Amino acid sequence: MTYVATLTCRECSATYPPEAVHACERCFGPVEVRYDYKALATAVTRESIASGPPSMWRYKELLPVDGHGPVSLGAGYTPLVRADRLAAEIGLGELWVKDDTRNPTGSFKDRVVSVALTKARELGFKVAACASTGNLANSVAAHAARAGMESVVLIPSNLEAAKVLTTAVFGGRLLAVDGNYDDVNRLCAELASEYPEWAFVNVNLRPYYAEGSKTLAFEVAEQLGWELPDHVVVPVASGAQLTKIDKGFRELVQLGLVPPRGDVDAEDPAGPVRVSGAQAEGCSPVAAAFATGADEVLPVKPDTIAKSLAIGNPADGWYALEVVRRTGGAVGAVSDAEILEGIRLLARTEGIFAETAGGVTIATLAKLAREGIVRPDERVVAYVTGNGLKTVEAFGSAAPTATIRPRVEEVAAALEEAPLGGGRP
Ligand SMILES: *Cc1c(COP(=O)(O)O)cnc(C)c1O
Ligand SMILES: [Zn+2]
């Protein structure tokens, strides 16, 4: 059983049957999954969702699969944490953190990969492949192992050691390419036509893959008691996640699963939630276009510690910009130093250790709060999408410890030097 109606071109609206199609044959525009919302509206209720598994697959009717059982390591249904101490520090009111550090391989990529490989298996693929900035590689290798598929994973050769190791352990083919992500991605686009029997999750299966990010919107609404937040802050690499979070909120309004916020038209829920984007200054093509009001996202050469967001030529950059403008959000960018401070701030206020992408989100949230764009009267959700254990080298080799001999006096002396509550790094 599937509620998928068509794959539809986002540019010219040409439609295609739901197969491994990712670009429009007429205009080369990207295609997107469209559903039979009339049928969905009667089939999906809050109760039917609540009776599902405690994973992203509780929303399976709203995902582009046929219901034969997912390829799943249990991704999703991660905690939504009320973050009062963080809110107080950055001058906000009702703030929540969506803690996607808790996914099976430590990042939100498990959501998109679980959908992509479920679809790949339905379509009869035996090999899973991807171009990755690290987290995707990790997740594809793990889910392919779970599904009993082969995997071929291509990454830039300068990735964090933890991301390489946690991918290699699953036993697929891991190829480090001498180049940046955009080089790897271009190579994979060529490989996808050379090896049509491989399921490139973010190339030929991209329309399905991207849909997995809608569950980040569904879960937040359900965890808020079936209400929408006012404003969300989302990290941006390719921009796919940001556009699909917006799509998820709009679908919930359209299906009557949440009441629209005050001024929103339920039939045409143009912008039910304000969506803001977060980038690293060392790779901020979308933030730059937003700042200048440009209609084009110009490619850049990435240079940032936020390697999981280091896509200089983002495939969905323009669409992310469109979402942000339509919903009244903004796109901010922060420096590497601010990213590290963002990681520390979240860790010491809420006990959540995020990777550099999470530092980008929190630091950008703080910046947008200072600028009055994210407001204290709003119910705000920050998406923290990856686990800090994957990017420890962003902090360099110096662990901030004091080494002492095992004596009480030495503890007392150390405390005298740096008193408790003194905000040591
Ligand atoms: C890939 C990634 C993102 C951004 O995803 P896009 O859909 O490409 O914008 C955000 N956070 C983390 C941790 C990621 O790995
Ligand atoms: Zn088209």
Side-chain angles (χ1 to χ4, degrees):
M1 186 60 200
T2 178
Y3 295 91
V4 172
T6 57
L7 293 179
T8 302
C9 175
R10 285 198 274 184
E11 293 300 325
C12 77
S13 300
T15 60
Y16 300 89
E19 289 156 12
V21 175
H22 66 290
C24 176
E25 286 165 19
R26 262 206 254 161
C27 75
F28 302 107
V31 302
E32 168 174 57
V33 181
R34 295 278 166 87
Y35 298 80
D36 178 351
Y37 288 108
K38 263 221 182 78
L40 270 176
T42 54
V44 180
T45 62
R46 294 178 183 179
E47 293 70 31
S48 71
I49 290 169
S51 69
S55 80
M56 59 180 278
W57 289 100
R58 63 204 278 109
Y59 312 101
K60 64 176 187 301
E61 287 84 1
L62 294 153
L63 296 171
V65 298
D66 73 6
H68 274 96
V71 174
S72 175
L73 292 166
Y77 217 58
T78 55
L80 181 69
V81 181
R82 178 76 188 243
D84 287 335
R85 270 180 301 277
L86 175 58
E89 289 235 5
I90 62 179
L92 289 178
E94 184 180 342
L95 174 63
W96 300 81
V97 169
K98 183 61 170 163
D99 183 6
D100 248 30
T101 69
R102 308 271 201 113
N103 277 312
T105 74
S107 87
F108 101 97
K109 289 295 196 302
D110 290 329
R111 298 175 184 270
V112 285
V113 170
S114 188
V115 173
L117 289 201
T118 299
K119 192 69 196 177
R121 196 161 67 176
E122 278 175 23
L123 294 171
F125 287 99
K126 303 278 190 293
V127 181
C130 70
S132 172
T133 57
N135 287 325
L136 185 61
N138 196 172
S139 187
V140 165
H143 284 84
R146 176 73 184 166
M149 297 170 83
E150 299 291 331
S151 66
V152 182
V153 162
L154 292 98
I155 54 174
S157 58
N158 70 346
L159 281 192
E160 298 94 340
K163 285 183 185 162
V164 178
L165 184 76
T166 54
T167 300
V169 74
F170 294 106
R173 296 303 302 271
L174 176 60
L175 300 172
V177 177
D178 183 14
N180 63 25
Y181 173 80
D182 298 288
D183 298 317
V184 178
N185 195 39
R186 210 173 318 111
L187 173 61
C188 282
E190 287 173 40
L191 289 174
S193 36
E194 202 70 27
Y195 297 91
E197 70 280 19
W198 293 1
F200 279 90
V201 300
N202 55 343
V203 184
N204 49 358
L205 292 178
R206 189 171 182 83
Y208 304 103
Y209 158 95
E211 290 289 294
S213 285
K214 293 191 309 186
T215 59
L216 283 164
F218 301 155
E219 288 176 19
V220 161
E222 186 179 359
Q223 289 168 320
L224 290 174
W226 291 111
E227 287 183 12
L228 295 179
D230 298 312
H231 201 153
V232 297
V233 178
V234 183
V236 173
S238 73
Q241 175 182 200
L242 184 146
T243 63
K244 296 307 170 184
I245 286 175
D246 169 69
K247 184 179 181 184
F249 287 134
R250 284 186 290 126
E251 286 182 344
L252 292 179
V253 174
Q254 206 175 342
L255 295 171
L257 289 166
V258 295
R261 295 185 312 127
D263 51 349
V264 172
D265 176 357
E267 293 294 303
D268 181 23
V273 175
R274 295 179 76 195
V275 181
S276 285
Q279 294 205 297
E281 278 174 4
C283 184
S284 52
V286 182
F290 181 80
T292 60
D295 274 333
E296 246 187 303
V297 175
L298 299 176
V300 300
K301 258 212 172 344
D303 179 16
T304 168
I305 57 169
K307 294 184 181 173
S308 56
L309 302 182
I311 298 184
N313 188 11
D316 291 277
W318 188 88
Y319 297 100
L321 206 53
E322 184 275 321
V323 168
V324 168
R325 286 177 176 153
R326 166 164 50 73
T327 63
V331 189
V334 290
S335 68
D336 283 357
E338 289 174 304
I339 294 169
L340 294 178
E341 183 43 40
I343 295 174
R344 287 201 190 92
L345 176 61
L346 178 64
R348 82 179 144 76
T349 53
E350 302 298 339
I352 297 170
F353 183 25
E355 70 142 88
T356 45
V360 168
T361 299
I362 297 301
T364 302
L365 171 71
K367 185 172 268 186
L368 295 178
R370 280 199 301 280
E371 292 170 353
I373 294 167
V374 178
R375 301 190 313 256
D377 64 334
E378 290 181 306
R379 176 192 268 172
V380 179
V381 175
Y383 284 97
V384 171
T385 50
N387 193 305
L389 293 174
K390 292 182 155 199
T391 61
V392 286
E393 58 256 68
F395 285 96
S397 52
T401 58
T403 304
I404 57 168
R405 279 165 293 183
R407 291 195 195 132
V408 171
E409 312 84 76
E410 297 220 8
V411 174
L415 285 175
E416 203 157 309
E417 204 168 296
L420 284 183
R424 256 191 314 157

